[in-house]
Each structure stands twice: as structure tokens, then as C-alpha cells.
Amino acid sequence: NGQPGGAYSLELRPTGTYSASWPSSVKWPSNSEPTQTKSSTKKDIFTFYYDGTVYNGQVFGFDYALS
């Protein structure tokens, strides 16, 4: 469970066909969920700030090469 004032990161690496579903407790700028990378050779990184009620999400970056 998140702690108020906590910052968190999430790295997504696609394998096959997938799509992450975000719970209603995650809020995105302009209420617009980001489109995720579909390439199996790339990854996306997201960051979240928990304010005690919701996780405010943002994209740290898309299409990073896998190492």
C-alpha cells in the first residue's frame, strides 16, 4: 500500500500481446491514459506520486531499449 507523499516507479516490458489496465486510483494528466509500447524489444517507465488518496501518474519515458 502506498504511503502519503510516496513516489514509486514501474517498468513495463511487453511480452506478446498485452495491455496494462490501471485501477481507478491512478490518475493521469488530462485524464488521458498513456499508450504503451508494443515492441517486445522496448520498455516503458512510469512514475507515480501518492497523495494519500490517488496515485498521480506520469510517463517517465517510452521505448527504452532492453539491456
Side-chain angles (χ1 to χ4, degrees), residues 39-59:
S39 171
S40 63
T41 62
K42 304 286 184 171
K43 64 184 175 184
D44 299 334
I45 301 172
F46 302 91
T47 59
F48 303 89
Y49 171 78
Y50 185 61
D51 67 7
T53 304
V54 298
Y55 292 87
N56 295 288
Q58 66 179 15
V59 175

Side-chain angles (χ1 to χ4, degrees), residues 11-14 37 41-45 61-66:
E11 181 179 294
L12 292 180
R13 298 173 179 218
T37 298
T41 62
K42 304 286 184 171
K43 64 184 175 184
D44 299 334
I45 301 172
F62 284 126
D63 294 329
Y64 285 96
L66 296 177

Side-chain angles (χ1 to χ4, degrees), residues 11-22:
E11 181 179 294
L12 292 180
R13 298 173 179 218
T15 56
T17 56
Y18 86 101
S19 181
S21 296
W22 304 105

